[in-house]
Amino acid sequence: MTSQSVEEYLEAIYKLAEDGAPAAIPALAERLGVSSVSANEMVRRLERDGLVAYAPYKGVTLTAEGEARALNILRRHRLWERFLVDVLAMPWEEAHEAACGLEHVSSPSLIDRLERFLGGPDTCPHGHAVPTATGQIALRNGRPLSDLAEGDEAVVVQVPEEEPGVLTYLSGLGLRPGTVVVVVAIAPFEGPLTLRVGEAVLALGRNLASRILVERK
Amino acid sequence: MTSQSVEEYLEAIYKLAEDGAPAAIPALAERLGVSSVSANEMVRRLERDGLVAYAPYKGVTLTAEGEARALNILRRHRLWERFLVDVLAMPWEEAHEAACGLEHVSSPSLIDRLERFLGGPDTCPHGHAVPTATGQIALRNGRPLSDLAEGDEAVVVQVPEEEPGVLTYLSGLGLRPGTVVVVVAIAPFEGPLTLRVGEAVLALGRNLASRILVERK
DNA sequence: CTTGAATATTAGGTTTTCCTAATCATCGCA
DNA sequence: TGCGATGATTAGGAAAACCTAATATTCAAG
């Protein structure tokens, strides 16, 4: 019996930990739209239940059990997203929102059936790997778009998920998994990249570019 | 912002009221697996919020607003059930369970897309009408199986939903919407009906038979 | 018209998840 | 090394849904 709140915390902790360091409480609170006090409280509860390890001023880390749960949630989320986008033709950011609800009320049997119906997709619409029913997750190969040199051509394999605004923006630019991009120019001093995407030429901030994964063509 | 609990109450009140009289609190509590005190408390809250009218010892009735909400929930429930059974090939009673969760986390946009994908089905897998997005619900024509006479032949148009055990039982007997039945015999003193369903002959209690709707062939 | 059963309500609690305000601890930088 | 910003925790609450136990009402049937 894992409550919806608990699941959301586990998911958020997992996502935050993806950027290297353990999740900090204020960052966690921020992401969940909750006060630091509440996040602290909940983290204590998760610790008591053996789902995370918490060291004040250091951060929160998932235990093996906690990570298994988190991967399972991610599995549900990404399969639903795939369904919503591919089958129901829902726009990206709306699909993310909707999947956030559905993921907490989906039995293993339902999810397995959904996976079979979808033909066992490897990734969600943003290119993130779908964990298996047994909790394995494939690691994406590809490197940040910001690592390319001028003149390089590459194909997008992954864009960040979560932030609704970012999703709409990228979607509007046509930057989605499978898109071919050519680096036209790279501005100095951590400046933006100029890209050619199909016919269009556009500028993309370095920060966002570093969160988009590409593969050499 | 209607909470999941509130939605479940509205749904239960609607279903109970279908059998004629306003929903009694103990019946409501029973159906929701909750104490009478809790049900009473919640009904008071619903009344405060203008969703029901409550007269002690008389029962609970939905207001126009409450009924609109209930129909919307039923719409979501039945469309999801259709999806789970038709598309994911989920067995009946598992689908009912699963739909109970999904119905509370589905935005109007999601439900409209789902409906379009399913081709705008008129009924759920048990033959209950799907309310429209604007809150209309078609009334089923058909009469109780228990009203037939010996020798009558008819086609099932609706079976009771909700109780998991009943669903499995009926499903096992092959009694589902579309099934053709012939009344072989009717036992006196409110006794069981003997039916022929395809090749099989089976006995069905009068009570259950009265909750199955059929149409003359 | 009384009385027993069914129904309703009150009183007092619990758990979960959130909050604000205030205090305490720590880290990193000057 | 000392201090200010950031992070952590405590104290005290709130709202939603539940619960049990006890009491009060009302219904219906004899």
Side-chain angles (χ1 to χ4, degrees), chain B residues 131-156:
Chain B
T132 67
T134 54
Q136 322 302 135
I137 184 165
L139 35 84
R140 259 23 279 288
N141 36 16
R143 53 191 206 293
L145 173 53
S146 53
D147 280 9
L148 296 183
E150 287 185 0
D152 282 354
E153 186 172 356
V155 53
V156 175

Side-chain angles (χ1 to χ4, degrees), chain B residues 143-154 156 169 173 175 181-197 200-214:
Chain B
R143 53 191 206 293
L145 173 53
S146 53
D147 280 9
L148 296 183
E150 287 185 0
D152 282 354
E153 186 172 356
V156 175
Y169 177 60
L173 297 180
L175 282 174
V181 299
V182 181
V183 179
V184 176
I186 301 178
F189 309 117
E190 296 297 304
L193 283 74
T194 305
L195 304 173
R196 190 146 49 70
V197 176
V201 173
L202 52 90
L204 189 71
R206 190 70 65 99
N207 186 36
L208 234 175
S210 73
R211 297 168 59 204
I212 294 174
L213 255 42
V214 300

Side-chain angles (χ1 to χ4, degrees), chain B residues 25-26 37 40 44 54 56-57:
Chain B
I25 297 260
V37 177
N40 191 289
R44 293 303 191 171
Y54 172 50
Y57 300 99

Side-chain angles (χ1 to χ4, degrees), chain A residues 163-201:
Chain A
E163 294 116 308
V166 172
L167 287 179
T168 320
Y169 177 58
L170 294 178
S171 179
L173 297 181
L175 282 174
R176 68 191 82 229
T179 302
V180 175
V181 299
V182 180
V183 180
V184 175
I186 302 179
F189 310 116
E190 296 297 305
L193 283 73
T194 305
L195 305 174
R196 190 146 48 70
V197 176
E199 299 300 293
V201 173

Side-chain angles (χ1 to χ4, degrees), chain A residues 25 40 44 54 57:
Chain A
I25 298 259
N40 191 290
R44 294 302 191 171
Y54 172 50
Y57 300 99

Side-chain angles (χ1 to χ4, degrees), chain A:
Chain A
M1 289 295 90
T2 317
S3 79
Q4 294 196 191
S5 279
V6 167
E7 292 200 340
E8 250 146 49
Y9 275 91
L10 292 177
E11 202 182 355
I13 293 166
Y14 182 94
K15 292 296 291 178
L16 285 173
E18 267 183 344
D19 320 336
I25 298 259
L28 188 57
E30 153 93 53
R31 175 175 223 122
L32 294 168
V34 128
S35 76
S36 274
V37 177
S38 297
N40 191 290
E41 232 173 354
M42 178 59 104
V43 164
R44 294 302 191 171
R45 211 154 351 131
L46 295 176
E47 191 178 36
R48 183 199 66 194
D49 298 344
L51 297 173
V52 304
Y54 172 50
Y57 300 99
K58 294 292 170 48
V60 192
T61 331
L62 293 169
T63 61
E65 173 65 18
E67 184 170 303
R69 301 258 188 112
L71 284 170
N72 198 264
I73 299 157
L74 244 34
R75 169 176 165 75
R76 289 178 251 149
H77 183 98
R78 290 175 180 167
L79 286 171
W80 274 122
E81 242 175 6
R82 196 90 247 182
F83 169 75
L84 296 169
V85 170
D86 294 358
V87 181
L88 298 192
M90 191 178 270
W92 271 13
E93 93 265 35
E94 196 187 329
H96 180 72
E97 275 298 292
C100 278
L102 296 171
E103 67 190 355
H104 302 300
V105 292
S106 307
S107 68
S109 149
L110 167 52
I111 289 300
D112 289 351
R113 283 173 199 277
L114 182 63
E115 182 178 39
R116 232 170 300 140
F117 168 68
L118 294 171
D122 291 328
T123 70
C124 79
H126 318 101
H128 296 257
V130 175
T132 66
T134 54
Q136 321 303 135
I137 185 166
L139 34 85
R140 259 23 279 289
N141 36 16
R143 55 192 206 294
L145 173 53
S146 53
D147 280 8
L148 296 183
E150 287 185 2
D152 282 354
E153 186 172 356
V155 54
V156 174
V157 300
Q158 185 178 100
V159 299
E161 41 179 10
E162 321 284 334
E163 294 116 308
V166 172
L167 287 179
T168 320
Y169 177 58
L170 294 178
S171 179
L173 297 181
L175 282 174
R176 68 191 82 229
T179 302
V180 175
V181 299
V182 180
V183 180
V184 175
I186 302 179
F189 310 116
E190 296 297 305
L193 283 73
T194 305
L195 305 174
R196 190 146 48 70
V197 176
E199 299 300 293
V201 173
L202 51 90
L204 190 71
R206 190 71 63 98
N207 185 36
L208 235 176
S210 73
R211 297 168 59 205
I212 294 175
L213 256 42
V214 300
E215 232 168 29
R216 180 140 299 146
K217 249 201 103 185

